[in-house]
Amino acid sequence: MPLRIILADDHPVIVRGIQTILEEESEFQILAEFRNGHALLQSPLIGSADLLLLDLNMPKIDGLRVLSSLSNSESTIKTIVISAYNSRKLVEECREHGASAYIVKTEQLSDLKEIIRQVMQGEKVFPDFAAPALAPENKFSYLDDFL
């Protein structure tokens, strides 16, 4: 049975790129796409999906609130955050709210399939800020109007 995945990102180009990568393998099935957190949280598909690929910067309900809501529910869905923000503070916030992985959009999305497999085996995959960075860390602030 294929891994059932929900995509939540408001950028069609990102969604299409992820679809293209995942459709190369029969082990992945995309159940649905959502462009905002409100529609995602209202969907009954959350209960039947194995994995959520979640952008943080979405309209109506942002990804952090989605993570918080899912962690306070009885949902067993695993979540991989895919974000443009390379911020230690934001990564830690996502980890605290139950994310299983965090991928910066500037990284190679071709690694996504392997990261999904690792997450589904129970591993946590987060940026190592102690290692030399490929991309500079964003100086994220909650005062930023990103959400």
Side-chain angles (χ1 to χ4, degrees), residues 6-109:
I6 293 176
L7 299 178
D9 196 307
D10 60 329
H11 293 95
V13 171
I14 297 295
V15 170
R16 186 66 196 130
I18 291 171
Q19 285 175 328
T20 300
I21 289 166
L22 296 182
E23 287 172 351
E24 295 172 351
E25 307 285 338
S26 62
E27 69 185 288
F28 304 119
Q29 175 190 8
I30 297 172
L31 288 182
E33 302 168 24
F34 294 93
R35 301 285 193 250
N36 69 71
H38 178 75
L40 170 64
L41 289 174
Q42 297 299 312
S43 174
L45 290 174
I46 288 178
S48 59
D50 303 303
L51 180 70
L52 170 62
L53 300 177
L54 177 67
D55 182 22
L56 293 180
N57 191 4
M58 291 191 302
K60 297 190 179 177
I61 298 178
D62 64 69
L64 280 176
R65 290 188 189 139
V66 169
L67 274 173
S68 181
S69 180
L70 290 175
S71 69
N72 291 326
S73 73
E74 300 202 10
S75 175
T76 59
I77 194 169
K78 293 183 185 280
T79 304
I80 296 176
V81 172
I82 301 177
S83 177
Y85 293 92
N86 185 25
S87 162
R88 181 187 318 255
K89 182 177 180 178
L90 193 53
V91 168
E92 287 307 315
E93 185 98 12
C94 290
R95 186 192 310 254
E96 289 171 12
H97 284 19
S100 296
Y102 190 104
I103 301 170
V104 179
K105 287 181 179 176
T106 56
E107 308 243 345
Q108 294 294 325
L109 275 182

Side-chain angles (χ1 to χ4, degrees), residues 126-139:
F126 291 93
D128 180 4
F129 286 98
L134 296 175
E137 182 176 350
N138 299 124
K139 297 302 177 194

Side-chain angles (χ1 to χ4, degrees), residues 115-129:
I115 292 170
I116 289 172
R117 291 178 187 115
Q118 290 173 310
V119 164
M120 296 315 294
Q121 292 173 358
E123 295 179 43
K124 304 288 185 183
V125 182
F126 291 93
D128 180 4
F129 286 98

